[in-house]
């Protein structure tokens, strides 16, 4: 899925599942009209909506426009052939999850290998058996629906994160800022693309577990009682459990669970020490502290970015944060490279 | 060794024959077996499939 850079998430597909009035939308890409008609005759009586284009170039445009559930792609076409069209579809994040079946009259085994290398999900030789075509289409469309549902789950958990944030107006923009700050630190440290994605998602989702914390504790002005504090701390465990079922959030779970851990073992929920605390969780932990200090909270006024950086450096000296990570973050603040978002105080 | 053009032509012929086989397949599923048309259509399908098999011979010869 496409995660928002900084704006609101795409949640339309998550808010309700549209009623599907058809078995699936299939795009046939073939320059021979008889083939298109044959596929339509096989699939339409079974509830599929079949559309067609006659060459690879038009296919790419049509697929971006209509986002079909499945593409039946002829290999030998004038212009952009099926292999190349398939390769381009599978290289594009917008289209790579749409199953592609290469349908071809080519018999040689190397064509099949070619197709698999191009990223095709299946291969059907002409002449094909109608039952076989239907069965394969049905199974791939089902797979596509599972993927769509997972995507929806992803978007839903993200919108949940922003819902939590919306409960507490004093943290307005917190998730966006954390995602941006953490990514800036990641870039400064030269972390991988995977880590970068995890940091962005982690910025949004780190406090997702607060959905399980009652309003009277979450929004309480003044200090929490020991019991309330313990309950508040459990948001890390609740969040970890919430993300647990989603494969796409696997890299984010350590952030959600461990962003309140501290190097000296004084953090929660597991009192981890040193390198036992996942690196990405440490980064989110640092930018979280900074953002908390530089925004107004119900129980105190915000401090200046300078003062917040000094406090972070003091905490690093006390052994609560890794010094090199704090240094990387502070250097972003002092050079003015920290992205400016929302309501935090300016220098 | 076939030229690219010859291979392309073989592919195109095979493609057209596949359409015949495919539609026969569909219609055979709709026409009851006791209907005379079923047997006639089966002949069309068999002929097209035989032609596809003959193409294979051309391809390797």
């Amino acid at each position: 899925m496409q995660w928002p850079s900084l704006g609101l998430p795409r949640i339309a597909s998550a808010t309700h599942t549209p009623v599907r009035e058809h078995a699936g939308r299939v795009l046939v890409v073939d320059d021979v009209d008889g083939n298109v008609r044959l596929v339509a005759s096989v699939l339409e009586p079974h509830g599929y909506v079949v559309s067609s284009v006659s060459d690879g170039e038009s296919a790419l445009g049509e697929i971006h426009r209509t986002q079909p559930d499945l593409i039946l792609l002829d290999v030998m076409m004038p212009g952009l052939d099926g292999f190349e069209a398939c390769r381009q579809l599978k290289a594009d994040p917008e289209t790579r999850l749409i199953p592609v079946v290469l349908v071809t009259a080519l018999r040689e085994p190397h064509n099949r290998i070619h197709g698999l290398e191009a990223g095709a999900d299946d291969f059907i030789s002409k002449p094909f058996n109608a039952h076989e075509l239907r069965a394969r289409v049905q199974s791939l469309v089902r797979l596509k629906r599972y993927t769509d549902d997972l995507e929806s789950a992803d978007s839903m958990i993200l919108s949940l994160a922003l819902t939590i944030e919306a409960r507490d107006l004093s943290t307005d923009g917190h998730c966006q800022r954390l995602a941006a700050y953490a990514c800036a630190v990641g870039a400064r440290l030269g972390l991988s693309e995977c880590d970068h994605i995890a940091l962005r998602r982690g910025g949004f989702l780190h406090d997702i577990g607060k959905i399980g914390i009652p309003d009277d504790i979450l929004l309480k002005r003044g200090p929490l009682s020991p019991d309330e504090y313990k309950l508040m701390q459990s948001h890390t465990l609740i969040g970890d459990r919430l993300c647990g079922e989603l494969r796409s959030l696997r890299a984010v779970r350590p952030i959600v669970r461990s962003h309140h851990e501290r190097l000296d073992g004084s953090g929660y929920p597991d009192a981890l020490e040193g390198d036992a605390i996942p690196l990405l969780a440490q980064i989110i932990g640092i930018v979280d502290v900074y953002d908390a200090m530089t925004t107004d909270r119900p129980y105190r006024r915000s401090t200046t970015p300078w003062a917040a950086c000094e406090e972070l450096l003091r905490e690093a000296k006390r052994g609560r944060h890794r010094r090199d990570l704090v240094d990387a973050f502070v250097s972003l603040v002092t050079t003015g490279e920290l992205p400016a978002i929302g309501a935090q105080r300016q220098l | 060794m076939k030229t690219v053009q010859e291979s392309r032509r073989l592919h195109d012929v095979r493609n057209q024959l596949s359409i015949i086989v495919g539609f026969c397949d569909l219609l055979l599923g709709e026409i009851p077996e006791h209907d005379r048309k079923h047997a006639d259509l089966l002949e069309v399908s068999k002929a097209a499939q035989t032609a596809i098999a003959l193409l294979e011979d051309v391809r390797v010869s």
Side-chain angles (χ1 to χ4, degrees), chain B residues 3-55:
Chain B
T3 65
V4 174
Q5 268 181 334
E6 282 171 328
S7 294
R8 173 88 213 193
R9 205 166 300 138
L10 277 174
H11 165 269
D12 289 347
V13 174
R14 187 187 167 81
N15 212 349
Q16 297 297 331
L17 289 168
S18 298
I19 296 171
I20 297 175
V21 174
F23 274 109
C24 285
D25 214 21
L26 273 184
L27 292 171
L28 283 168
E30 289 173 17
I31 300 170
E33 280 186 33
H34 57 76
D35 191 321
R36 198 195 158 101
K37 289 198 277 289
H38 192 279
D40 293 349
L41 202 56
L42 203 56
E43 290 304 324
V44 178
S45 177
K46 273 193 211 160
Q49 287 183 55
T50 307
I52 289 174
L54 286 171
L55 279 183

Side-chain angles (χ1 to χ4, degrees), chain A residues 90-147:
Chain A
K90 292 299 180 183
D92 184 342
E94 287 274 314
T95 54
R96 68 174 166 216
L97 294 178
I98 305 172
V100 175
V101 180
L102 289 175
V103 187
T104 179
L106 295 167
R107 299 288 273 182
E108 294 80 4
H110 72 259
N111 283 307
R112 197 171 275 260
I113 295 166
H114 234 92
L116 293 172
E117 281 172 353
D121 297 271
D122 206 347
F123 212 100
I124 294 180
S125 299
K126 296 177 200 169
F128 52 77
N129 176 284
H131 296 293
E132 188 190 352
L133 177 70
R134 259 198 309 269
R136 292 201 192 186
V137 165
Q138 188 185 19
S139 113
L140 283 168
V141 167
R142 194 185 302 135
L143 199 67
K144 167 71 164 40
R145 296 263 157 96
Y146 289 148
T147 318

